[in-house]
Amino acid sequence: YADGVINVATVGINGPFAARLVTSGTPITFEQSNPSASISPIGNGYWLNIDRPTVLDTTQLPTPGVAPTSPLALDSVGIKVYAGNGGWNMIGAPFLYPVDWNAVSVVADGVAHSLGDAVQLGYISPVLVSYINGDYSYSVAPAGRLEPFQGYWVRTYRDVTLVVPPSASQGAGRSAMGNLQYGLKIGASVKGDRDAENVIAVAQSGKSGADQHDVTKPPSAGGDVYVRILDEQSGVSRSLAYDVRSADATRKTWNVAVSAMKDNEMVTLSWNKLGNSGRNVRWTVTDLSTGQRVSAGDKSQLQFVSGAAGSTRKFQFVADPTGSSGPLAVTGIRTVPSRATGGVTVRFSTTKDAT
């Protein structure tokens, strides 16, 4: 490694890896100093910890069928993934050409399902999470591709086998950010390290609570800052990277948690508008620790000093789709009987802040 070039054939056998989690939650590690370590299995993904920009050298890959330790595959590859430890598994592309994520099939209890059917059955999430240029990137089936030498997070809700066919992709990879009417892309950074791919938005097909647009937040990439959108609508505790609501005229509220991994760091929380956010949509951001409230249209970032390592600061983002003009409207009026008092409780929403 002195010349800054990593040979894939060597790394595949005994390179310095921190591998994906196994069912016990313990990372498998392949160390360069341990040549007796078995070859890393085809189809698994790994974190490679390097201290400088490095060229990935693929010119000396062994010939399939000649070298028994070849990291290449010719036929369909089965990748076992497990529901333990939250269901997150890191997989890798097993071929030297891209394969469509939607071409992967899922085998559960000996029965093969298409990826779409497995998603509908609740076996696996449709989201494919990659790590590009220091940040997560999300694709939702039928979009997404398994690219050569790229690792991915996938989440499964039961133990299954993913079968990747040797079929080169004919399409193009797309992100999860599609069909949104308006929203914000939210990020946080500490000394250049960032977590910036987090989206709150509305769409015609969105709804309050869990829906097909929501993307669960994967485990931290090990950086100095971690952002989560807190799902408080679906009745279960979830941390999200994408939270998409219905496109009605009511005010929308999201709570966002920002964690810094070191003591007393200067953290920058920033946001960018998506879609038609500038048309009759008023955004406000409130620091729930200090009560500071700003217009997201007037500012695009806030800064704060974190506390102890791992501590969390919460912010509330509010979208008022009627903007600053127009009358106050009361919507969604409903009455709920109260057994305690024998009366009723009146609940409603307003299209603007009311005092």
Side-chain angles (χ1 to χ4, degrees), residues 75-355:
D75 300 317
S76 294
V77 173
I79 308 170
K80 292 184 177 180
V81 292
Y82 303 93
N85 302 295
W88 288 104
N89 294 257
M90 188 174 287
I91 68 171
F95 302 107
L96 292 179
Y97 46 80
V99 176
D100 288 330
W101 171 226
N102 203 47
V104 173
S105 58
V106 179
V107 178
D109 298 327
V111 179
H113 307 272
S114 69
L115 182 63
D117 287 347
V119 169
Q120 291 299 318
L121 290 167
Y123 293 170
I124 192 169
S125 167
V127 180
L128 187 68
V129 186
S130 57
Y131 188 75
I132 301 173
N133 296 326
D135 208 353
Y136 282 135
S137 179
Y138 303 88
S139 297
V140 180
R145 300 194 305 185
L146 297 173
E147 300 282 355
F149 304 110
Q150 177 71 46
Y152 300 88
W153 282 119
V154 297
R155 192 182 191 193
T156 185
Y157 305 113
R158 62 178 296 178
D159 295 354
V160 297
T161 298
L162 305 180
V163 180
V164 184
S167 302
S169 171
Q170 300 301 315
R174 293 176 294 167
S175 74
M177 200 185 309
N179 301 317
L180 304 180
Q181 276 195 255
Y182 65 85
L184 295 180
K185 185 176 181 181
I186 301 169
S189 62
V190 173
K191 293 181 178 177
D193 194 8
R194 68 185 188 276
D195 181 351
E197 187 69 20
N198 306 279
V199 172
I200 57 177
V202 303
Q204 286 291 349
S205 55
K207 66 178 183 180
S208 297
D211 64 21
Q212 75 272 20
H213 298 289
D214 294 342
V215 174
T216 305
K217 186 76 176 186
S220 169
D224 291 336
V225 65
Y226 188 53
V227 178
R228 295 165 292 141
I229 303 165
L230 304 179
D231 176 17
E232 298 166 339
Q233 303 271 325
S234 62
V236 296
S237 177
R238 299 190 305 163
S239 295
L240 302 176
Y242 282 59
D243 189 7
V244 179
R245 307 280 179 81
S246 60
D248 54 35
T250 61
R251 207 171 46 144
K252 309 293 190 299
T253 300
W254 292 265
N255 287 333
V256 175
V258 181
S259 301
M261 304 309 169
K262 295 181 180 178
D263 294 336
N264 302 319
E265 291 282 10
M266 178 62 73
V267 181
T268 300
L269 176 69
S270 59
W271 52 87
N272 296 311
K273 291 183 178 180
L274 303 173
N276 295 322
S277 291
R279 298 180 181 178
N280 298 322
V281 180
R282 182 179 63 181
W283 286 93
T284 56
V285 184
T286 303
D287 184 336
L288 297 181
S289 295
T290 65
Q292 179 188 9
R293 182 180 180 184
V294 300
S295 168
D298 297 335
K299 298 189 66 174
S300 60
Q301 68 178 38
L302 288 173
Q303 288 187 315
F304 65 94
V305 178
S306 67
S311 61
T312 297
R313 189 87 156 240
K314 293 183 179 179
F315 297 85
Q316 187 171 87
F317 287 76
V318 176
D320 178 356
T322 63
S324 58
S325 61
L328 170 69
V330 178
T331 63
I333 300 175
R334 62 192 186 280
T335 59
V336 180
S338 173
R339 294 182 180 179
T341 64
V344 295
T345 299
V346 179
R347 295 179 178 174
F348 58 89
S349 300
T350 61
T351 58
K352 299 170 66 97
D353 287 338
T355 56

Side-chain angles (χ1 to χ4, degrees), residues 57-72:
D57 178 13
T58 64
T59 60
Q60 300 181 47
L61 287 169
T63 302
V66 176
T69 56
S70 170
L72 302 180

